Amino acid sequence: AICILTGVVLATMITGRRLEGRGYSRDAAVDVALWIVPFGIVGGRLYHVITTPQPYFGEGGHPLDAFKVWEGGLGIWGAIALGAFGAWLGCRKYNINFWDYADAAAPGVILAQAMGRWGNWFNNELYGERSTLPWALEIHEWDESAGEAVRDSAGNAVVLGYFQPTFLYESLWCLLVALIIVFVDRKYGLARGRSFALYVMLYPVGRIVFELMRTDP
């Protein structure tokens, strides 16, 4: 949650600066963000529940757990889709062109995703095959019922092994996409909507690769 919120703050600051270059007030970024965030959270949760229904509506599932956002489970495309709808509503309220806002927000949004991915490091998740690389992720055995790592008699977390940190690769990809968007926009002066379209096209390219690398449940 801390990583996601930090990303939201950074994204809002970047959006404000880019909006100013488009003739709007920096404060407009905050005004519209207050619409985006709640819609984005709801959209992300809906996407997760729809695409992963087993824990909630499958055998042994608990439907009310679908409301427990604090236990994890947010789908990025649901967050983007409903967050964009919230942005559209906010832009209408404050008389801002929606595509100006979307283009201004594009690099900030992908940077927020890059920061949010580091929550996976704290949660000890999102990894690939076993690895001996220096940056391999140390994964601990997890007790789902207790919600914490299994510990040995000395009180140390039991290590399952070292794995490819796919969260790190996605985070780095997000940083690269943000740089590409800013570079292409500055060099070619992209028309309205194209910076955001570039984000929508580029992000899934890396995401597909990293999802295929994953071995964690």
Side-chain angles (χ1 to χ4, degrees), residues 58-94:
E59 185 178 351
H62 299 87
L64 290 179
D65 286 352
F67 295 96
K68 298 179 179 178
V69 180
W70 55 90
E71 291 187 355
L74 294 172
I76 184 61
W77 288 119
I80 293 297
L82 215 53
F85 178 67
W88 178 76
L89 291 175
C91 286
R92 286 197 61 176
K93 180 176 176 62
Y94 296 106

Side-chain angles (χ1 to χ4, degrees), residues 17-18 37-38 43-44 51-52 54 59 70 73 81 93 96-97 106-107 118 120 126-127 130-131 167 187 199 203 214:
R17 184 173 179 179
R18 286 171 59 83
V37 173
T51 56
T52 315
Q54 180 62 35
E59 185 178 351
W70 55 90
K93 180 176 176 62
I96 301 169
N97 182 280
W118 280 90
N120 300 125
L126 224 68
Y127 51 89
R130 290 182 180 272
S131 174
F167 82 90
K187 185 171 179 63
Y199 154 68
Y203 171 65
R214 286 181 59 181

Side-chain angles (χ1 to χ4, degrees), residues 42-185:
V42 173
R45 188 60 174 178
L46 283 173
Y47 186 91
H48 167 73
V49 172
I50 290 170
T51 56
T52 315
Q54 180 62 35
Y56 313 105
F57 305 108
E59 185 178 351
H62 299 87
L64 290 179
D65 286 352
F67 295 96
K68 298 179 179 178
V69 180
W70 55 90
E71 291 187 355
L74 294 172
I76 184 61
W77 288 119
I80 293 297
L82 215 53
F85 178 67
W88 178 76
L89 291 175
C91 286
R92 286 197 61 176
K93 180 176 176 62
Y94 296 106
N95 198 30
I96 301 169
N97 182 280
F98 171 75
W99 290 114
D100 282 343
Y101 192 93
D103 288 336
V109 169
I110 195 74
L111 278 177
Q113 290 175 233
M115 297 193 69
R117 272 296 171 221
W118 280 90
N120 300 125
W121 181 80
F122 289 101
N123 288 347
N124 211 220
E125 61 193 6
L126 224 68
Y127 51 89
E129 299 286 350
R130 290 182 180 272
S131 174
T132 57
L133 292 169
W135 55 83
L137 180 65
E138 180 181 281
I139 295 295
H140 304 139
E141 185 177 352
W142 195 257
D143 185 342
E144 292 290 348
S145 60
E148 61 182 21
V150 175
R151 300 189 178 276
D152 59 23
S153 57
N156 299 314
V158 177
V159 177
L160 287 178
Y162 295 84
F163 300 81
Q164 290 275 10
T166 54
F167 82 90
L168 173 63
Y169 302 151
E170 184 172 334
S171 180
L172 293 173
W173 173 250
C174 288
L175 289 175
L176 178 60
V177 171
L179 290 173
I180 291 173
I181 292 171
V182 172
F183 172 76
V184 174
D185 190 24

